[in-house]
Amino acid sequence: QVQLVESGGGLVQAGDSLRLSCAASGFTFSSYFMAWFRQTPGKEREFVAGISWRTYYADSVKGRFTISRDNAKNTVYLQMNSLKPEDTAVYSCAARRRYSDIGYATSKQYDYWGQGTQVTVSS
């Protein structure tokens, strides 16, 4: 049974930091492309960051967010620094069987999703 369980969300002030974690089970984690997406009400899901053997970032978070993975722990992380009110969203991790970087920013490319964790940044 595949599971992706996010943790680490919360309410912070602008300029603060948060670290999200996503614990995976039920599939061969090390061979999957992992990513973080975020979504706000009324908007489509937005790619934030992805990781295979290299990392990928949305322009809006480049230089502030860092994605990493620990294959021994089957966990992917998202370190978020210098948070802004516009970063407020539900953040979900996703796993894609296809390891290449083709289409990594497209949510439909992903096979498994977590339930999401709320991040709220106050001004």
Side-chain angles (χ1 to χ4, degrees):
Q1 179 182 354
V2 172
Q3 279 195 312
L4 293 173
V5 180
E6 300 98 336
S7 61
L11 171 63
V12 296
Q13 293 190 337
D16 286 350
S17 298
L18 274 178
R19 188 196 197 202
L20 305 183
S21 300
C22 173
S25 61
F27 62 99
T28 308
F29 178 81
S30 60
S31 64
Y32 275 64
F33 189 105
M34 299 299 297
W36 288 94
F37 286 77
R38 65 188 182 187
Q39 190 170 26
T40 54
K43 292 189 176 181
E44 290 190 2
R45 198 171 270 169
E46 174 190 23
F47 171 80
V48 176
I51 185 168
S52 54
W53 57 80
R54 54 161 293 187
T55 56
Y56 307 83
Y57 296 96
D59 288 342
S60 59
V61 307
K62 205 170 291 184
R64 300 187 298 122
F65 291 11
T66 302
I67 188 171
S68 61
R69 67 191 297 163
D70 186 337
N71 289 338
K73 295 183 178 180
N74 287 357
T75 301
V76 61
Y77 304 97
L78 185 67
Q79 177 67 43
M80 306 185 294
N81 299 330
S82 302
L83 282 161
K84 304 175 181 180
E86 51 263 44
D87 294 318
T88 296
V90 174
Y91 284 72
S92 299
C93 70
R96 190 181 76 164
R97 193 175 296 113
R98 188 177 189 181
Y99 204 70
S100 77
D101 59 2
I102 298 174
Y104 65 83
T106 305
S107 61
K108 291 181 180 179
Q109 291 269 335
Y110 288 79
D111 302 290
Y112 307 124
W113 290 86
Q115 82 289 349
T117 185
Q118 176 70 46
V119 172
T120 303
V121 185
S122 64
S123 57

